[in-house]
């Protein structure tokens, strides 16, 4: 196998491009590691020591060496999103439940859990798709370039970020900002639904196709869903929430020609908010 140091500049660039395409777009260490070289002898990992705090030790009769037995998973490692979410009575409890939830693989590769930002008592709640690199780093939704555009769109209808409530369907960044899989979406959805129930906004905005299709349970794409008002039902005998879908700000950054349609949606939103309780 060629060593990294043997590669030409063009080959190095091609390798880098391949890594970025595969989602490895952030440095994990300060110094690069050349994994094509054998590790130095001292760096060969020693066999793992048993961890008495987590593992019990079983002895079978007649066999001398102790055999580590995995400890029962702590009760906090919860897998059942539906039951966990249903048991939460406040937004703070829900945040804690999401942070403890280990049923979505995205958590393993993410740096932070990104729960929400803004005022949980706000009239206006916005739900995006999933954190990106900036959000993953800072632990807050919509703080990167698309977040800056969202802030400006909100300001244009007289709302500051601190006076609205912003979250995502997924609480962890998909590696390389890839599309979340249907399975990952389903793993987080009970929390997202409970989140909306607990906040109980007067108006709900769904940013982008993933959020709109998932929350509204629709198969149509965002081109058809945007700009229409839906009635989001959170439960029997509870008021429905007027809900509008619009383009995701990241899409607007890529397709500025569509800002005009999004502006229309935000004007409709402004009007609805002025009539909301
Ligand atoms: N895109 C989203 O959908 N959510 C964020 O928080 C950031 C980018």
């Amino acid at each position: 196998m060629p060593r990294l140091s043997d590669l030409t500049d063009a080959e190095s660039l091609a390798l880098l491009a391949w890594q970025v395409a595969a989602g490895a777009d952030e440095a994990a260490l300060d110094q690069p590691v050349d994994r094509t070289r054998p590790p130095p002898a001292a760096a060969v990992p020693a066999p793992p020591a048993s961890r008495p705090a987590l593992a019990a030790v079983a002895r079978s009769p007649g066999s001398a060496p102790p055999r580590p037995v995995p400890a029962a998973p702590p009760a906090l490692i919860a897998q059942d999103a539906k039951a966990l979410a249903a048991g939460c009575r406040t937004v703070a409890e829900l945040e804690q439940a999401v942070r403890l939830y280990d049923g979505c693989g995205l958590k393993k590769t993410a740096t932070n859990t990104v729960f929400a930002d803004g005022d949980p008592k706000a009239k206006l709640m916005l739900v995006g798709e999933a954190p990106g690199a900036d959000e993953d780093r800072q632990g807050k939704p919509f703080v990167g370039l698309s977040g800056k555009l969202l802030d400006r769109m909100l300001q244009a209808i007289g709302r500051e970020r601190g006076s609205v409530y912003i979250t995502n369907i997924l609480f962890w960044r998909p590696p390389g900002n890839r599309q979340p899989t249907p399975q990952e979406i389903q793993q987080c959805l009970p929390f997202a639904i409970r989140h909306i129930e607990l906040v109980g906004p007067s108006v709900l905005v769904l940013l982008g196709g993933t959020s709109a299709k998932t929350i509204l349970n629709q198969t149509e794409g965002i081109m058809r869903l945007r700009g229409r008002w839906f009635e989001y039902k959170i439960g029997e005998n509870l008021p429905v929430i007027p809900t509008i879908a619009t383009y995701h700000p990241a899409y607007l950054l890529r397709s500025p020609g569509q800002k005009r349609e999004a502006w229309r949606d935000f004007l409709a939103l402004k009007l609805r908010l002025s009539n909301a309780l």
Side-chain angles (χ1 to χ4, degrees), residues 19 40-41 43-44 46 52 66 75 92 139 151 158 206 220 274:
Q19 286 178 319
V44 175
D151 287 350
L206 305 174
E220 286 177 306
S274 66

Side-chain angles (χ1 to χ4, degrees), residues 114 127-136 140-144 146-147 161 166-170 177 207 211 248-250:
V114 178
V127 182
E129 178 180 311
D134 294 306
E135 290 76 20
D136 182 47
K140 276 189 187 180
F142 284 101
V143 290
S146 62
R161 163 179 279 255
I166 307 178
T167 186
N168 286 303
I169 304 251
L170 291 110
N177 295 350
L207 298 166
S211 172
H248 193 289

Side-chain angles (χ1 to χ4, degrees), residues 127-182:
V127 182
E129 178 180 311
D134 294 306
E135 290 76 20
D136 182 47
R137 223 173 281 126
Q138 298 186 40
K140 276 189 187 180
F142 284 101
V143 290
L145 281 183
S146 62
K148 301 277 173 283
L149 175 57
L150 180 61
D151 287 350
R152 291 203 300 278
M153 291 162 77
L154 287 167
Q155 280 161 4
I157 58 160
R159 306 271 151 175
E160 292 299 323
R161 163 179 279 255
S163 70
V164 305
Y165 191 67
I166 307 178
T167 186
N168 286 303
I169 304 251
L170 291 110
F171 303 96
W172 298 281
R173 180 195 183 205
N177 295 350
R178 64 161 169 75
Q179 274 286 112
T181 64

